[in-house]
Amino acid sequence: MTAAMRDFSSGAEWLSINTATLRKQWKLDRIVDECARRGIHTIAPWRDQVAAVGLEVLARQLRDTGVGLSGYGRGGFFPAADAAGLQAALDDNRRAVDEAVTLGAPCLVLVVGSLPGALEGRPLHKDIARARREVQDGIAATLEYARSVQMPLAIEPLHPMQAAERACINTLAQALDVCDALDPARSGALGVAVDMYHVWWDPLLATQIARAGRERLLAFHVCDWLTPTRDLLNDRGMMGDGVIELRQARGWMEAAGYAGHAEVEIFSEHWWGRPGDEVLDTCLERHRSVV
Ligand code: ZN
């Protein structure tokens, strides 16, 4: 298996930069230019960063620089306390799908949400089973629209430490159960984003990557798990600085048919405090030596 893996050691062809990694150093238009200058031709931007430079402005810059997307972040956050809130979430996801189409993204990544209000520190109820039902209904409704404009949806399971605030889908198995329920034909319209930070610990990781298969493996996010971890959200490590066996996992992904990018996604107060040039150069070097 290892022998058949793609060789990342000399190039940047399969490197993508999730632009949250540099969100405190540079605006998105600068990030695009800095990536292009280094031969990095793929990014994964976030909606707020896109809004800050303008959707159409960015779309033009991407065409001019030859930079493409490995994904668009993010849709999701489906659960709500009432019917109006559920509808507002669906409307917002529809806009996210449209933006992803405008930018030529290969998928819209879904952080599905969980207990309404929990992110703000005021959960409006404690019924996570209800949240999971609303998530599945919300994905089903969004999928119908996304199919009509040919934008695949990628469910990203989040580490269980985020189960109250950000995502009530916490394992690959859970995400794939939703895929099986809503897209039994494995059409490619619905799949998963495998973010190693969230799933590295899962004893079922290898078997669930194999279960997902090429049709459902829509994205591969990399960083590292530091010991100790000092912040639940913003202490991700640079690849090679922690305990995740990234190359082994890429082997499982590729054995299952994944042939897309390795997207570097590092939310880190440490790396946000370093010069952008240093961060990007380090990402490139670690992509070659560790991923
Ligand atoms: Zn991710």
Side-chain angles (χ1 to χ4, degrees), residues 178-244:
V178 174
C179 293
D180 285 349
L182 301 182
D183 183 36
R186 302 176 67 87
S187 69
L190 183 62
V192 293
V194 179
D195 184 324
M196 290 304 298
Y197 193 70
H198 294 302
V199 300
W200 72 275
W201 56 272
D202 186 347
L204 298 179
L205 181 59
T207 54
Q208 294 303 306
I209 286 174
R211 170 188 170 192
R214 180 169 40 188
E215 300 86 358
R216 292 207 168 130
L217 293 172
L218 301 184
F220 180 51
H221 299 174
V222 298
C223 65
D224 217 331
W225 184 278
L226 300 177
T227 53
T229 290
R230 288 162 299 192
D231 184 280
L232 297 191
L233 189 64
N234 295 326
D235 195 27
R236 291 182 175 218
M238 179 64 65
M239 300 82 74
D241 289 348
V243 298
I244 303 179

Side-chain angles (χ1 to χ4, degrees), residues 6 8 12-16 42 69-70 219-220 258-263:
R6 293 173 292 170
F8 285 4
E13 184 184 357
W14 299 110
L15 170 60
S16 172
T42 313
L69 268 54
S70 60
F220 180 51
Y258 182 74
H261 292 80
E263 178 184 316

Side-chain angles (χ1 to χ4, degrees), residues 12-127:
E13 184 184 357
W14 299 110
L15 170 60
S16 172
I17 299 293
N18 184 299
T19 57
T21 305
L22 292 154
R23 76 179 334 148
K24 300 213 176 155
Q25 289 94 337
W26 295 326
K27 278 186 71 179
L28 187 52
D29 50 354
R30 174 84 186 272
I31 296 174
V32 172
D33 284 338
E34 294 287 348
C35 283
R37 198 162 68 75
R38 288 170 172 79
I40 300 168
H41 295 296
T42 313
I43 62 166
W46 286 68
R47 292 182 76 190
D48 61 322
Q49 292 176 297
V50 171
V53 300
L55 181 66
E56 296 299 335
V57 171
L58 177 66
R60 195 177 321 124
Q61 187 189 10
L62 293 175
R63 283 193 295 274
D64 291 347
T65 54
V67 172
L69 268 54
S70 60
Y72 188 49
R74 60 165 172 68
F77 276 80
F78 296 105
D82 54 33
L86 292 171
Q87 187 58 49
L90 293 182
D91 294 345
D92 189 54
N93 274 277
R94 193 175 169 119
R95 285 191 291 274
V97 168
D98 288 339
E99 291 166 22
V101 170
T102 298
L103 297 174
C107 63
L108 174 67
V109 173
L110 303 180
V111 174
V112 297
S114 190
L115 302 177
L119 195 58
E120 295 76 34
R122 288 174 285 102
L124 300 172
H125 65 70
K126 301 181 183 180
D127 189 349

